[in-house]
Amino acid sequence: MTGTSSAPSLDHIRVGSAPDSWGVWFPDDPQQVPWQRFLDEVAQAGYSWIELGPYGYLPTDPARLTDEVTARGLKVSAGTVFTSLHRGPDVWDETWAHVSRVAELTRAMGAAHLVVIPSFWRDDKTAELIEPAELTAEQWRHLAQGTERLAREVGEKYGLRIAVHPHADTHIDTEEHVVRFLDATDSELVNLCLDTGHYAYCGGDSVELIERYGERIDYLHLKQVDPEILADVVREGTPFGPAVRQGVMCEPPCGVPELEPVLSAAQKLGVDLFAIVEQDMYPCPPDQPFPIAERTRRFLRSCGA
């Protein structure tokens, strides 16, 4: 597909963007654009849905944040949390303290989703090894049981659905690990946020996953990787943070996977899905994100989204 007016309407796909596409990885960092600029530019680029990003980057007072997003014609699709549930029950209280803050704000903003990202096994800034890349059988049990508990608690207390995000340099990354996680968890409680870029980064096929486990796909992140840079990253064993600084995550439609087949496969599921654009660019010059965001929004419109 070349992006013409004949593109099919993807009426089940609700497109948005996120602070990540503006180079925002942390609540407060001098290398990141101010939150006001992010909100201004994401609206100007043509998006109407956003994620909260790292908790504390956007205002955490619901009334103030509501005023800010409403003034720009924006709505919130989800919040995001990081968890280390594979470490067992001992981390529950600390996990819940973080999750409850984000979930409360997410609910207050009228969103229904909480994106859950497993903790990194190596630091995304320093590349320092934090723990082994492979989980033990006991840790897999802790991960599955802890995620199910999280889903129940978040659902009961906040009315939100969790969507677990396979992510590079975490324990849920490759097809093998994603399938193992899905098979170990209750489909009534635990579903996925499929990030097309991270899944490709780790060797997975997003279309195949959607076709095989469509009932477990509850949310999408749209992202592409540069195959040449990725090949170098794989060959050198480069950690994710430095790989991003090398430009491994690239502007659509310049990379893989092709997004048109992914969106088409998602549309065929027959359920409404958010498809939130994320282009990891930390750190990046402050004037870089906006033109990319505009071009990406035009590209997605050409795909029917």
Side-chain angles (χ1 to χ4, degrees):
M1 184 182 297
T2 58
T4 69
S5 60
S6 62
S9 174
L10 301 173
D11 58 351
H12 285 298
I13 307 298
R14 292 172 287 180
V15 170
S17 192
D20 184 60
S21 293
W22 269 255
V24 175
W25 278 12
F26 303 100
D28 184 31
D29 189 301
Q31 298 186 87
Q32 298 174 170
V33 298
W35 62 265
Q36 296 94 333
R37 180 170 180 176
F38 159 69
L39 290 179
D40 288 342
E41 292 188 350
V42 73
Q44 292 167 18
Y47 297 96
S48 56
W49 293 95
I50 61 165
E51 290 182 353
L52 294 177
Y55 183 80
Y57 173 66
L58 295 176
T60 56
D61 174 68
R64 184 183 182 195
L65 184 55
T66 296
D67 288 345
E68 296 285 354
V69 299
T70 300
R72 296 167 173 85
L74 298 170
K75 293 172 284 187
V76 174
S77 62
T80 301
V81 296
F82 285 85
T83 60
S84 303
L85 295 168
H86 66 285
R87 296 176 186 165
D90 289 347
V91 303
W92 176 260
D93 289 345
E94 180 183 356
T95 299
W96 186 250
H98 166 57
V99 169
S100 60
R101 288 193 299 270
V102 181
E104 186 171 353
L105 180 59
T106 302
R107 178 181 63 179
M109 298 309 298
H113 298 273
L114 197 64
V115 176
V116 178
I117 302 178
S119 60
F120 287 22
W121 50 263
R122 57 182 170 186
D123 189 271
D124 58 348
K125 264 191 169 181
T126 68
E128 177 187 0
L129 193 67
I130 298 169
E131 57 189 319
E134 293 289 335
L135 297 178
T136 66
E138 181 182 35
Q139 288 174 321
W140 274 109
R141 287 194 296 274
H142 286 321
L143 176 60
Q145 293 169 2
T147 306
E148 289 177 343
R149 179 183 179 185
L150 187 72
R152 283 192 295 268
E153 298 279 350
V154 166
E156 291 171 3
K157 291 182 170 61
Y158 297 101
L160 304 176
R161 299 199 305 274
I162 70 166
V164 177
H165 182 321
H167 196 293
D169 283 5
T170 76
H171 296 108
I172 307 177
D173 50 3
T174 62
E175 178 185 358
E176 178 186 358
H177 288 165
V178 169
V179 170
R180 180 170 182 172
F181 175 73
L182 290 175
D183 289 346
T185 50
D186 185 348
S187 62
E188 295 297 316
L189 290 170
V190 179
N191 290 307
L192 290 186
C193 167
L194 171 58
D195 184 303
T196 61
H198 279 280
Y199 201 51
Y201 184 105
C202 298
D205 184 322
S206 289
V207 171
E208 181 183 35
L209 187 70
I210 293 170
E211 291 176 347
R212 183 178 174 191
Y213 285 97
E215 74 283 357
R216 304 296 296 272
I217 307 299
D218 204 33
Y219 200 92
L220 294 173
H221 280 170
L222 301 180
K223 188 179 297 170
Q224 288 189 323
V225 296
D226 181 312
E228 292 186 4
I229 297 177
L230 179 62
D232 181 70
V233 164
V234 173
R235 184 171 56 251
E236 299 295 328
T238 306
F240 179 66
V244 168
R245 291 193 287 275
Q246 292 177 24
V248 71
M249 297 299 183
C250 63
E251 176 182 346
C254 302
V256 296
E258 290 186 59
L259 293 182
E260 298 98 323
V262 172
L263 292 167
S264 178
Q267 171 72 16
K268 290 176 183 175
L269 296 177
V271 297
D272 292 337
L273 289 172
F274 283 108
I276 304 300
V277 176
E278 282 196 328
Q279 185 180 340
D280 295 321
M281 293 195 293
Y282 177 87
C284 66
D287 293 334
Q288 181 177 337
F290 177 66
I292 293 175
E294 272 197 315
R295 291 192 297 266
T296 301
R297 187 67 192 97
R298 286 198 299 269
F299 166 70
L300 292 173
R301 284 196 183 96
S302 78
C303 299

